[in-house]
Each structure stands twice: as structure tokens, then as C-alpha cells.
């Protein structure tokens, strides 16, 4: 088994395929199942509730994909966080109208933006009370992650991310996804994601030192969680002493 001591990035097939490629569409379905198996919505919603000191008004989801994970979060959060405005940001705009309608049905509003998150303009519509990322940061090497996280910190009151945990157990699980019917794209990309994933302290080292890191640790068998405060004003991101 290739060493997992250091992050190893290779291009993921899903990032290279057109949005309407049958293999890409099938792989996005696999990702939804992976999110369900790993309890991604439960983990992210729990961290957002834990670290937000007041209900947010605006949330940005970076690398949102088809928007379904954010909709799953909204279903958990809307009963106590009403009227939130969500921005769904991804280089490919593949959020379906029925997904947007799902936010409306919950009393939230949602808008999509097709933008490269590595460009500072991606955050031009901020500030946001919360910025969230799911299975996204691992796509970037440290040289790209550092300025990306600096832009996130400048635009967010609170940042919460869930990423693959880089360890043998997670890699074994990723390599076994064919057993649940994952297609060839997912069978390639899932192990690649684990090898590009994170261990304790790696995201903390890239976060701006002037801003508070709230947690970076393993949650569940497969998930690496990172949460930190940014510089943007907003009720969800202010530390309790700042809000007094």
C-alpha cells in the first residue's frame, strides 16, 4: 500500500469530464451515497450548530457540486435557522431546478454561481456568516490552499469543512466501493481523494494565524473535520466575547 504519510494529489476523473458525461452523472450519484454512508450532512450540521453563536443570514457553499449536500444541511438546520440565503458556488453550474426548489420549500433562498474558487472574485458577493466545504479542499495542493483559505477567512465569520481522513482504514473503504456498485470514475477518484486528504494539524497550518481554529480532528471512521473563525462580521461567526 502506498504510504499515506504525506498528501499525494493526482487529477480526479470527475474534474476532467463534461457535466453531462454519463460516467460523471453516475459518479455524482455515487458521491451522494458516499455522503450518506459517511453521515456528511449530520457531521457538518453538527459543527455548524456547535460553532455558530447565532443563526446565520448568509451561507456560502464552495465546491457545491450538484447542491444536494447543502440541501441536506438545510433540511436539518431550517427548523432553527429560518430564512437563510445560500450561495452555491462551483466551477460547473450543475444544480438542478428541483434542488433550488427544495430550498424554497424550506423557507430558504438559494442562488448559484459558476466561478473558479481560486479567483478572489469568487468571494466578491460576501461577507458570509458561514462558508462550508464538503469533500472539496483535498483537490488542492498546499500552495493553492493557503491563498484559498486566506480568502475564505476574509469572507467568512465561520468556516466549516469535512474532508477525507488520510489513513489506511479510509483508503481500504474507498478501494472497496466497487462492492456497492460504484462506477469506474468513483473507483479511481475515491482512493485518490483519500491520498489527498488530511491529518491532524495540516489545515490548521494553512489557516491564517491571526484567526482562531476551533477544531481539526477525526469524526466518525472516515471524516476529517476543520472549523475556524474568519474575519468577516456576522452573528454566526463572532466569538461570544465579540458579540457581548
Amino acid at each position: 500500500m502506498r504510504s499515506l504519510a504525506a498528501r499525494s494529489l493526482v487529477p480526479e476523473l470527475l474534474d476532467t469530464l463534461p457535466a453531462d458525461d454519463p460516467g460523471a452523472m453516475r459518479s455524482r450519484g455515487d458521491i451522494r451515497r458516499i455522503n450518506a454512508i459517511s453521515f456528511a450532512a449530520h457531521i457538518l450540521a453538527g459543527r455548524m450548530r456547535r460553532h455558530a453563536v447565532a443563526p446565520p443570514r448568509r451561507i456560502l457553499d464552495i465546491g457545491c457540486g450538484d447542491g444536494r449536500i447543502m440541501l441536506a444541511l438545510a433540511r436539518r438546520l431550517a427548523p432553527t435557522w429560518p430564512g437563510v440565503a445560500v450561495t452555491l458556488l462551483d466551477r460547473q453550474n450543475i444544480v438542478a431546478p428541483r434542488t433550488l426548489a427544495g430550498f424554497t420549500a424550506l423557507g430558504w433562498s438559494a442562488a448559484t454561481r459558476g466561478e473558479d474558487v481560486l479567483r478572489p472574485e469568487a468571494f466578491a458577493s460576501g461577507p458570509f456568516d458561514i462558508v462550508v466545504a464538503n469533500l472539496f479542499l483535498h483537490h488542492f495542493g498546499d500552495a493553492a490552499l493557503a491563498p484559498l483559505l486566506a480568502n475564505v477567512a476574509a469572507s467568512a465569520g465561520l468556516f466549516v469543512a469535512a474532508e477525507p481522513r488520510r489513513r489506511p482504514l479510509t483508503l481500504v473503504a474507498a478501494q472497496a466501493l466497487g462492492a456497492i456498485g460504484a462506477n469506474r470514475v468513483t473507483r479511481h477518484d475515491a482512493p485518490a481523494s483519500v491520498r489527498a486528504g488530511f491529518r491532524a494539524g495540516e489545515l490548521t497550518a494553512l489557516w491564517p494565524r491571526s484567526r482562531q481554529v476551533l477544531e481539526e480532528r477525526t469524526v466518525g471512521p472516515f471524516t476529517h473535520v476543520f472549523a475556524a473563525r474568519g474575519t468577516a462580521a456576522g452573528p454566526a461567526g463572532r466569538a461570544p466575547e465579540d458579540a457581548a
Side-chain angles (χ1 to χ4, degrees), residues 129-149:
D129 298 311
I130 301 176
V131 174
V132 62
N134 180 62
L135 302 182
F136 182 64
L137 300 181
H138 70 274
H139 289 92
F140 306 101
D142 291 357
L145 266 178
L148 169 58
L149 293 177

Side-chain angles (χ1 to χ4, degrees), residues 51-199:
H51 298 303
V53 297
R57 295 182 295 265
R58 304 186 71 210
I59 294 175
L60 172 67
D61 182 5
I62 59 174
C64 68
D66 62 10
R68 302 254 192 119
I69 189 66
M70 191 66 241
L71 180 56
L73 287 173
R75 287 174 177 144
R76 292 173 179 271
L77 298 170
T80 53
W81 289 1
V84 175
V86 174
T87 300
L88 301 163
L89 188 149
D90 201 288
R91 187 173 56 185
Q92 292 184 321
N93 190 346
I94 57 172
V95 180
R98 65 178 178 276
T99 301
L100 296 176
F103 290 100
T104 303
L106 294 168
W108 287 25
S109 63
T112 60
R113 289 190 61 201
E115 188 79 57
D116 185 346
V117 75
L118 295 180
R119 296 171 60 87
E121 294 84 353
F123 299 91
S125 59
F128 300 91
D129 298 311
I130 301 176
V131 174
V132 62
N134 180 62
L135 302 182
F136 182 64
L137 300 181
H138 70 274
H139 289 92
F140 306 101
D142 291 357
L145 266 178
L148 169 58
L149 293 177
N151 287 332
V152 170
S155 303
L158 172 67
F159 177 55
V160 178
E163 294 293 322
R165 181 68 172 185
R166 195 177 75 252
R167 62 176 179 175
L169 174 64
T170 315
L171 182 59
V172 169
Q175 292 171 331
L177 286 172
I180 63 169
N183 77 342
R184 67 172 186 88
V185 175
T186 307
R187 293 196 304 272
H188 172 274
D189 288 358
S193 296
V194 174
R195 293 187 178 102
F198 299 96
R199 290 184 174 181

